[in-house]
């Protein structure tokens, strides 16, 4: 005859609390492994139960301790559900279940931690393995998913996710009940509301895989995704084909959208950072219109914001960067479908824009915040548009055009597309930029839109440069007359993609400060190195055009300076007693510093500029941080001369693949191999061949308009640009000489030296 042994509530809770304290400290457990299963098997709350039953045992007198079952009897014991409803308050039952889940969670975390003592870790591992085998814990935890107690359901989901990840690490096959649970709920969406719990659990597991420091991430993720590859595609179609307007409870579908978006981002990130190729990782690119349609739905602004930022990150191939910081996996070469997938996404974006996507964006109104859209009445909200949306929408269009043009051969077709989409983008941006874009130079749009986000600004500048280079190659094959050349130049200005204007506006925004450029070069947060090298190579060929544009900048700045002097003479008089002598780079034309006020860009506050201009003390930190590999931008200077990579950038995605391998090879070289002895000697001689411009041109003068020098060549934009390059050369040389520069900078220095020679030659001919 078998008996039911009743365990007092307090005694059970006391033992569980002691176990929790031991596991929390990482202490090795003393008892037999089976002894702990009794206390860890999650309880179920049954309103009809009248007793707290614990276990069956052959002989109740054989139990030596009522608080702890005998290990001799536990091997064949089947634990019954603990029903705690009537003999104790429901709060106590809830606390026991939560504590059980917490102990399991902490125990699995201890197993996965490298800091846990080996003996303790082995003990914990054995306990969890026995728990997985002796009880249907997966089913018990999934039953708690829809509990009215949100904390309980959350803890159950988190505990299950950790147990599943533990099984992946230990190469234990998933139970059929869990796989069937996910497949059933995901395939029955939206009728089945448990799908969101499946999404959350799957997302949590992939995040844990990314955070893991083991070398078998790819194998673990492959094991995990294999049973769910097909069902993801089914759920994707069901979710985005759902009619939002007909949904009675919109909060549920929004919750599903956010969870699915997070999972989708992780799947794409695993494609980028781990060498895996599943169909579920390509879902976005196979059906891009589904995600783009959500932006046109009448959903809250923060949902649209999340989706448009997600698509932007996909186009920039930056998905998963936050997950891969620190001990991140090395970027893998792009898979064979990358070019096709990126083109499909770019085409879908441009089609959506053509159908009026920009008109559906919520730019005005309450800007979305992490805590919601509402703010306290006492908190003032700065007026103005949502610049995050403006930046994302701008990058969506400019990057999509660049990707699309890589597959085009017709110059006329590209020109028509560029004119259509850039015209729509500039029209969309114009009302939101104060002061508005000047009619004589729409190229200022990048500097205005991206002033507070330097990484996005440089991505936009790089994409614009790629478009210009592609069109230039096509134009030279067909263009012949001078009139056609003039029309081409006018076209680049009218639609805001002239690379020289864009670069000069960038320099003006940072006050021609070479230290900012150096920060950009060293930083691993931007693509400035790739952009800067490509621009310098263009500048060597387009020097005449660049110099002409500089004269136009000088003329505009001179007119603005005259207006300033005429309108603020009293202000100058008030400051005459404290007048400070300024260098040419800060006083002529359009003076620009971190705190400068500029008539034609007055919307750039000193606060926003200070986000770009870093202090010199940050250089050392940036140098250390930038030694970690970055998406291959460093490899773009891995050539001996500026002519070695003439056709660089013709295919963006193929280039990315080459950049990765070149970068990995380059980073293997010792830091002191930045150049041979001859290179260092040559570098030293080149550095001693300064100055870039005559020293007498550095004569200080005041801001009084009557004292502005008449020689534009000494203090104009072209001078300030080359002066900035000279200072940058010197800074790079000093760091390179001390082996503090994170990559071989000699090719970059050669490019800057060549620009210097071109400038000096042009000055001599004047």
């Amino acid at each position: 005859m078998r008996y039911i042994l009743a365990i007092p509530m307090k005694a059970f809770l006391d033992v569980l609390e002691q176990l929790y304290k031991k596991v929390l400290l990482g202490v090795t457990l003393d008892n037999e492994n089976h002894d702990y299963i009794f206390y860890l098997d999650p309880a179920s709350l049954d309103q009809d139960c009248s007793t707290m039953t614990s276990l069956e045992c052959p002989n109740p007198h054989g139990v030596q301790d009522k608080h702890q079952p005998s290990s001799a009897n536990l091997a064949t014991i089947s634990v019954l559900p603990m029903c705690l409803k009537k003999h104790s308050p429901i709060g106590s039952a809830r606390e026991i279940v939560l504590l059980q889940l917490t102990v399991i969670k902490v125990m699995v975390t201890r197993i996965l931690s490298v800091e846990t003592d080996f003996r303790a870790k082995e003990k914990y591992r054995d306990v969890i393995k026995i728990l997985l085998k002796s009880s249907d814990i997966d089913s018990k935890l999934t039953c708690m998913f829809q509990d009215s107690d949100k904390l309980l359901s959350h803890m159950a989901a988190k505990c299950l996710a950790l147990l599943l990840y533990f099984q992946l690490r230990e190469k234990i096959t998933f139970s059929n009940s869990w796989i069937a649970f996910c497949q059933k709920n995901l395939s029955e969406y939206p009728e089945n509301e448990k799908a969101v719990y499946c999404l959350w659990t799957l997302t949590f597991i992939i995040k844990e895989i990314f955070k893991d420091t083991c070398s078998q991430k790819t194998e673990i993720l492959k094991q995990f995704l294999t049973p769910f590859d097909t069902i993801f595609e089914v759920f994707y179609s069901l979710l985005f084909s759902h009619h939002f307007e007909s949904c009675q409870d919109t909060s549920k579908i929004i919750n599903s959208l956010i969870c699915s978006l997070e999972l989708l981002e992780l799947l794409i990130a695993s494609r980028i950072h781990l060498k895996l190729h599943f169909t579920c990782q390509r879902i976005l690119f196979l059906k891009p219109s589904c995600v783009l349609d959500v932006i046109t739905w009448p959903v809250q602004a923060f949902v649209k914001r999340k989706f448009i930022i997600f698509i932007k990150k996909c186009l920039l191939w930056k998905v998963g960067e936050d997950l891969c910081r620190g001990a991140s996996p090395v970027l893998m070469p792009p898979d064979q479908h990358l070019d096709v997938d990126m083109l499909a996404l770019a085409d879908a974006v441009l089609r959506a824009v053509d159908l009026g996507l920009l008109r559906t964006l919520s730019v005005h109104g309450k800007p979305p915040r992490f805590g919601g859209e509402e703010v306290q009445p006492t908190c003032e909200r700065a007026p103005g548009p949502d610049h995050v949306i403006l930046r994302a929408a701008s990058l969506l269009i400019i990057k999509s055009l660049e990707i699309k043009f890589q597959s085009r051969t017709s110059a006329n077709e590209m020109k028509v597309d560029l004119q259509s989409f850039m015209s729509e983008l500039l029209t969309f941006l114009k009302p939101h930029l104060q002061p508005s874009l000047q009619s004589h130079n729409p190229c200022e749009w990048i500097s205005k839109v991206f002033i507070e986000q330097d990484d996005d600004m440089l991505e936009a500048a790089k994409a614009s440069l790629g478009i210009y280079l592609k069109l230039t190659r096509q134009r030279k094959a067909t263009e012949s007359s001078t009139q056609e050349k003039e029309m081409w130049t006018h076209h680049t200005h009218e639609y805001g993609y002239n690379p020289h204007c864009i670069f000069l506006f960038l320099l003006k925004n940072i006050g021609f400060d070479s230290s900012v450029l150096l920060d950009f070069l060293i930083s691993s947060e931007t693509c400035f190195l790739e952009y800067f090298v490509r621009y310098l190579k263009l500048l060597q060929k387009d020097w005449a055009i660049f110099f002409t544009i500089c004269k136009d900048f000088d003329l505009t700045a001179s007119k603005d300076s005259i207006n300033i002097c005429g309108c603020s003479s009293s202000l100058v008089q008030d400051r005459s007693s404290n007048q400070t002598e300024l260098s040419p780079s800060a006083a002529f034309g359009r003076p620009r510093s971190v705190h400068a006020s500029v008539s034609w860009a007055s919307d750039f506050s000193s606060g926003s500029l200070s986000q770009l201009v870093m202090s010199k003390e940050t250089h050392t930190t940036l140098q250390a941080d930038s030694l970690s590999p970055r998406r291959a931008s460093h490899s773009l200077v891995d050539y001996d001369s500026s002519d070695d990579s003439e056709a660089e950038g013709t295919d963006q995605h193929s280039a990315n693949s080459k950049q990765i391998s070149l970068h990995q090879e380059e980073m293997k070289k010792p830091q002191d191999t930045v150049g041979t002895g001859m290179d260092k000697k040559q570098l030293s001689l080149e550095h001693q061949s300064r100055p870039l411009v005559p020293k007498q041109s550095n004569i200080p003068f005041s801001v009084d308009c009557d004292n502005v020098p008449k020689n534009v060549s000494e203090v104009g934009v072209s001078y300030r640009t080359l002066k900035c390059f000279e200072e940058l050369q010197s800074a790079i040389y000093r760091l390179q000489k001390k082996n503090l520069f994170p990559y071989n900078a000699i090719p970059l220095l050669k490019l800057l030296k060549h620009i210097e020679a071109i400038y000096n030659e042009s000055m001599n001919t004047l």
Side-chain angles (χ1 to χ4, degrees):
M1 182 177 179
R2 301 176 69 85
Y3 297 91
I4 300 296
L5 176 66
I7 301 291
M9 169 77 70
K10 187 176 185 308
F12 190 94
L13 191 58
D14 288 344
V15 174
L16 198 57
E17 286 177 349
Q18 292 176 14
L19 178 59
Y20 170 70
K21 292 176 181 178
K22 286 185 176 182
V23 176
L24 190 63
L25 296 173
V27 176
T28 304
L29 302 179
D30 299 325
N31 292 7
E32 292 293 330
N33 296 332
H34 287 82
D35 293 355
Y36 301 101
I37 305 304
F38 169 75
Y39 296 101
L40 292 179
D41 193 10
S44 60
L45 304 181
D46 189 345
Q47 297 182 3
D48 298 327
C49 295
S50 58
T51 60
M52 175 186 172
T53 58
S54 60
L55 69 156
E56 294 182 1
C57 55
N59 184 357
H61 303 290
V63 178
Q64 300 169 357
D65 185 352
K66 291 184 178 180
H67 296 186
Q68 178 110 359
S70 171
S71 61
N73 298 326
L74 280 172
T76 58
I77 287 174
S78 115
V79 179
L80 299 178
M82 291 188 302
C83 306
L84 314 174
K85 178 71 176 178
K86 294 186 178 178
H87 279 224
S88 62
I90 190 64
S92 299
R94 175 180 179 272
E95 289 174 6
I96 285 182
V97 177
L98 288 174
L99 188 54
Q100 285 177 314
L101 298 178
T102 303
V103 173
I104 295 174
K105 181 178 75 71
V106 175
M107 190 174 288
V108 175
T109 304
R110 277 291 182 185
I111 296 171
L112 300 175
S113 173
V114 295
E115 299 178 357
T116 307
D117 177 72
F118 177 77
R119 289 184 59 226
K121 183 182 294 188
E122 288 299 310
K123 190 76 173 180
Y124 300 158
R125 181 182 283 110
D126 292 340
V127 171
I128 295 298
K129 284 183 177 180
I130 295 173
L131 179 65
L132 290 169
K133 290 180 181 179
S134 62
S135 63
D136 190 11
I137 192 169
D138 292 354
S139 299
K140 293 178 181 178
L141 292 176
T142 53
C143 288
M144 300 181 193
F145 278 2
Q146 280 193 298
D147 195 283
S148 58
D149 189 326
K150 296 302 180 183
L151 179 58
L152 185 61
S153 62
H154 174 75
M155 283 296 297
K158 194 168 186 178
C159 186
L160 177 60
L162 278 171
L163 287 172
L164 292 170
Y165 182 61
F166 170 80
Q167 294 177 68
L168 287 172
R169 285 290 304 268
E170 298 295 321
K171 297 183 179 179
I172 301 174
T173 305
F174 285 161
S175 66
N176 293 329
S177 62
W178 159 247
I179 296 176
F181 175 82
C182 281
Q183 291 177 341
K184 179 178 183 297
N185 288 290
L186 291 175
S187 61
E188 293 179 356
Y189 183 86
E191 286 77 12
N192 198 319
E193 297 180 356
K194 293 182 181 179
V196 69
Y197 296 99
C198 297
L199 295 175
W200 189 93
T201 307
L202 298 171
T203 299
F204 183 90
I205 294 172
I206 299 180
K207 284 183 178 180
E208 289 299 310
I209 294 175
F210 268 105
K211 290 190 294 185
D212 203 334
T213 57
C214 72
S215 59
Q216 299 178 337
K217 289 185 179 182
T218 302
E219 290 75 14
I220 293 174
L221 185 61
K222 182 177 180 180
Q223 179 188 349
F224 173 67
L225 291 180
T226 299
F228 304 109
D229 190 27
T230 305
I231 197 63
F232 281 152
E233 187 174 0
V234 175
F235 173 75
Y236 182 87
S237 300
L238 290 172
L239 173 65
F240 292 107
S241 62
H242 193 63
H243 295 289
F244 182 80
E245 297 84 351
S246 61
C247 184
Q248 296 180 351
D249 189 353
T250 57
S251 62
K252 291 182 179 179
I253 189 172
I254 289 175
N255 195 19
S256 299
L257 285 172
I258 299 302
C259 289
S260 62
L261 186 66
E262 190 174 8
L263 178 59
L264 197 58
E265 183 171 357
L266 288 170
L267 291 173
I268 297 174
S270 66
R271 179 184 181 184
I272 298 174
H273 298 278
L274 301 174
K275 197 174 183 179
L276 274 180
H277 310 299
F278 281 92
T279 303
C280 60
Q281 296 171 303
R282 299 184 60 208
I283 292 178
L284 169 69
F285 305 97
L286 296 175
K287 300 178 180 179
S289 59
C290 293
V291 173
L292 286 165
D293 287 345
V294 176
I295 302 176
T296 65
W297 289 2
V299 294
Q300 286 93 327
F302 81 93
V303 178
K304 295 187 177 185
R305 192 187 220 214
K306 279 182 173 290
F307 272 79
I308 195 171
I309 291 174
F310 166 69
I311 299 170
K312 179 200 77 171
K313 290 162 69 176
C314 291
L315 287 170
L316 297 178
W317 213 234
K318 287 186 174 182
V319 182
E321 280 190 330
D322 295 339
L323 293 170
C324 299
R325 291 185 176 179
S328 61
V330 179
L331 275 173
M332 298 295 177
D335 57 76
Q336 58 180 342
H337 302 294
L338 177 61
D339 290 342
V340 176
D341 288 351
M342 293 300 290
L343 180 59
L345 181 58
D347 280 335
V349 169
L350 294 178
R351 282 197 302 271
V353 172
D354 194 39
L355 294 174
L357 177 68
L358 297 181
R359 292 189 291 273
T360 67
L361 297 179
S362 304
V363 179
H364 288 296
K366 300 176 181 178
R369 304 174 188 274
F370 288 111
E373 298 179 359
E374 299 296 332
V375 295
Q376 295 295 329
T378 56
C379 300
E380 295 184 2
R381 180 177 61 86
D386 186 348
H387 287 278
V388 174
I389 291 290
L390 294 182
R391 289 193 295 266
S394 301
L395 264 175
L396 245 62
I397 294 178
I398 195 73
K399 191 64 183 178
S400 295
L401 285 172
E402 183 197 17
I403 293 171
K404 188 174 184 179
F405 288 174
Q406 300 301 330
S407 63
R408 292 279 184 90
T409 56
S410 170
N412 289 333
E413 190 176 358
M414 287 189 288
K415 192 173 180 179
V416 169
D417 278 350
L418 184 66
Q419 179 174 336
S420 172
F421 290 107
M422 287 304 299
S423 177
E424 184 158 356
L425 175 60
L426 294 175
T427 302
F428 168 72
L429 294 174
K430 189 175 181 179
H432 308 301
L433 300 179
Q434 298 298 329
S436 182
L437 291 174
Q438 292 190 2
S439 58
H440 68 271
N441 203 335
C443 298
E444 193 182 1
W445 73 272
I446 289 182
S447 295
K448 282 181 170 288
V449 172
F450 297 97
I451 186 62
E452 295 180 355
Q453 197 73 30
D454 53 7
D455 55 341
D456 281 354
M457 175 175 63
L458 294 171
E459 288 286 356
K462 182 167 73 74
S464 179
L465 176 60
I467 292 173
Y468 178 87
L469 293 174
K470 179 70 175 180
L471 284 171
T472 300
R473 284 189 291 270
Q474 296 293 333
R475 177 185 61 84
K476 288 182 177 178
T478 58
E479 187 180 89
S480 57
S481 66
T482 304
Q483 184 179 4
E484 288 178 339
K485 293 180 181 179
E486 292 178 353
M487 290 179 61
W488 156 254
T489 303
H490 175 73
H491 190 272
T492 63
H493 289 292
E494 183 179 2
Y495 296 103
Y497 68 99
N498 185 281
H500 303 298
C501 288
I502 292 172
F503 184 75
L504 289 175
F505 279 123
L506 167 63
L507 288 183
K508 284 179 173 290
N509 285 341
I510 63 174
F512 292 88
D513 189 345
S514 62
S515 66
V516 179
L517 298 186
L518 182 65
D519 286 339
F520 285 162
L521 283 173
I522 295 176
S523 173
S524 62
E525 300 296 322
T526 72
C527 63
F528 181 70
L529 173 63
E530 181 182 356
Y531 165 68
F532 192 46
V533 169
R534 296 180 72 185
Y535 177 72
L536 289 178
K537 288 158 62 179
L538 171 67
L539 185 57
Q540 293 177 119
K541 303 173 184 179
D542 277 8
W543 179 259
I545 299 176
F546 171 79
F547 198 68
T548 301
I549 292 174
C550 286
K551 290 181 179 179
D552 292 338
F553 270 65
D554 293 335
L555 181 61
T556 302
S558 178
K559 291 179 179 179
D560 290 340
S561 297
I562 293 173
N563 292 336
I564 291 174
C565 294
C567 298
S568 58
S569 58
S570 60
L571 180 62
V572 174
Q573 292 173 4
D574 292 340
R575 293 184 178 179
S576 60
S577 58
N578 296 322
Q579 192 175 50
T580 304
E581 296 296 321
L582 300 176
S583 65
S585 64
F588 178 74
R590 175 180 169 271
R592 189 73 193 200
S593 67
V594 177
H595 304 289
S597 176
V598 184
S599 64
W600 53 276
S602 59
D603 58 324
F604 301 148
S605 66
S606 60
S608 61
L609 282 172
S610 64
Q611 297 177 15
L612 286 176
V613 183
M614 303 180 183
S615 63
K616 294 182 179 179
E617 287 78 8
T618 63
H619 288 179
T620 304
T621 304
L622 285 170
Q623 293 157 15
D625 292 343
S626 63
L627 294 178
S628 60
R630 174 65 176 169
R631 281 188 315 276
S633 58
H634 299 174
S635 64
L636 291 173
V637 294
D638 190 18
Y639 48 79
D640 293 332
S641 71
S642 59
D643 297 326
D644 289 350
S645 53
E646 183 69 24
E648 182 179 70
T650 56
D651 190 319
Q652 183 69 25
H653 311 302
S654 299
N656 287 342
S657 177
K658 296 176 183 178
Q659 291 161 17
I660 292 168
S661 58
L662 285 173
H663 171 60
Q664 293 172 351
E665 180 180 346
E666 180 70 18
M667 292 302 292
K668 292 178 182 178
K669 300 178 182 179
Q671 185 63 275
D672 59 357
T673 60
V674 292
T676 62
M678 183 185 304
D679 291 331
K680 290 186 177 181
K681 182 178 180 180
Q682 177 188 4
L683 191 62
S684 179
L685 291 175
E686 287 180 354
H687 180 67
Q688 293 173 8
S689 65
R690 299 290 184 268
L692 169 66
V693 291
K695 291 184 179 179
Q696 58 267 28
S697 65
N698 289 327
I699 301 172
F701 52 92
S702 80
V703 295
D704 188 21
C705 295
D706 295 333
N707 295 329
V708 174
K710 301 298 187 290
N711 191 345
V712 176
S713 66
E714 288 185 358
V715 293
V717 170
S718 61
Y719 166 82
R720 298 173 71 185
T721 301
L722 271 294
K723 184 67 175 176
C724 179
F725 286 173
E726 178 194 31
E727 295 170 354
L728 182 62
Q729 270 185 279
S730 300
I732 295 175
Y733 172 78
R734 289 193 300 270
L735 293 175
Q736 184 86 339
K737 190 176 180 181
K738 298 177 182 179
N739 290 333
L740 293 176
F741 211 64
Y743 49 84
N744 184 1
I746 290 178
L748 176 60
L749 291 172
K750 288 181 178 179
L751 283 171
L752 291 170
K753 186 69 177 176
H754 193 196
I755 299 297
E756 172 188 339
I758 295 174
Y759 175 82
N760 288 333
E761 182 180 353
S762 64
M763 290 298 99
N764 292 334
T765 59
L766 292 178

